[in-house]
Amino acid sequence: MTIIDESNIDGVFRARSGAYRYWDATQCIEFGVRMTHAALDNALIGEIEFLKKFDQVRDVINAAHGIRDNDLATLVRCAVDNGGTISKNRRKQFSASVDLGTMDDIERAVGEAFFPLPQKAIRPIP
């Protein structure tokens, strides 16, 4: 090895390259692929379950109330994030476009879909 200057070194590789050239990474790659599949499967399954429940809530609320899809999506996500309830701040924020009874129905539908008691289906809103 010869040092040319501060940032340049001239070196000659003198070991056998076979250990580096023919390294078998099959087990590492197989492990990486298995972990990738597991992560994707779990994420996709969770997302599909969320969308099924979200669609249930949307269908129940749309059948009983006329509410903009954007408002409904926001309120449902907020209720899911808060364990089935819509916060007081969100209620105030949406009070001009969504009545309180509709917000109560959204909370009930989210609670039944996302946080169900054992073997309880979503009931239609009267």
Side-chain angles (χ1 to χ4, degrees):
M1 174 169 33
T2 305
I3 298 176
I4 298 171
D5 58 27
E6 289 182 15
S7 59
N8 293 310
I9 298 174
D10 182 26
V12 177
F13 185 72
R14 296 192 181 180
R16 288 188 218 155
S17 62
Y20 302 99
R21 185 178 300 159
Y22 301 109
W23 180 64
D24 185 10
T26 304
Q27 289 181 336
C28 292
I29 299 302
E30 287 173 345
F31 175 76
V33 169
R34 282 195 312 271
M35 293 301 103
T36 301
H37 281 283
L40 286 174
D41 289 346
N42 290 337
L44 290 176
I45 289 170
E47 187 66 22
I48 289 169
E49 290 302 315
F50 175 85
L51 291 173
K52 284 179 183 178
K53 293 172 183 178
F54 182 89
D55 287 345
Q56 285 179 323
V57 172
R58 186 193 64 221
D59 293 344
V60 167
I61 298 301
N62 281 337
H65 303 282
I67 180 174
R68 287 182 36 218
D69 284 340
N70 192 29
D71 291 346
L72 178 59
T74 302
L75 290 170
V76 169
R77 283 193 312 268
C78 291
V80 169
D81 290 344
N82 289 323
T85 60
I86 299 170
S87 69
K88 291 179 182 179
N89 289 333
R90 286 291 186 186
R91 284 179 173 271
K92 288 178 188 175
Q93 179 182 355
F94 286 92
S95 63
S97 59
V98 180
D99 65 71
L100 295 178
T102 302
M103 289 189 210
D104 292 339
D105 288 342
I106 292 171
E107 285 182 343
R108 184 186 59 76
V110 166
E112 290 177 2
F114 287 90
F115 310 103
L117 297 174
Q119 301 298 322
K120 190 173 184 182
I122 296 179
R123 296 174 286 132
I125 297 171

